[in-house]
Amino acid sequence: MPKARKSSPPATPKRRSQARRQPTAQELSELAPIPETLRPGLDVLFVGINPGVVSGQKQLHFGNPQNYFWKGLFESELIPEA
């Protein structure tokens, strides 16, 4: 008598990454510079980080909710739990 095959759980469908629309040169030129937040007493300074389009639109460094910067910063224990 042949052995019964165990059924596998259904495969989880992979999420397809949506093609992102690249901003036009006109849209990029209309973004205002993000203000610097340097002040006396800083313990850490991140240098050489260029903000993306979403950050420019929100006027906030690392402003894209898909950015892992804040999660990594929290996990490094440099900042308290928010």
Side-chain angles (χ1 to χ4, degrees), residues 43-46 69-81:
D43 293 324
V44 177
L45 176 62
F46 295 94
F69 175 77
W70 296 113
K71 180 180 179 187
L73 191 59
F74 170 72
E75 288 178 355
S76 72
E77 299 180 356
L78 286 171
I79 61 171
E81 185 175 359

Side-chain angles (χ1 to χ4, degrees), residues 15-62:
R15 288 179 56 180
R16 292 185 187 184
S17 60
Q18 295 177 349
R20 294 183 194 166
R21 183 185 71 80
Q22 295 296 317
T24 65
Q26 177 70 30
E27 291 170 324
L28 291 174
S29 70
E30 293 171 355
L31 294 174
I34 299 174
E36 293 182 3
T37 55
L38 296 176
R39 61 182 176 270
L42 289 176
D43 293 324
V44 177
L45 176 62
F46 295 94
V47 179
I49 299 182
N50 296 318
V53 174
V54 174
S55 294
Q57 292 167 338
K58 290 186 174 186
Q59 290 291 290
L60 178 67
H61 290 280
F62 311 103

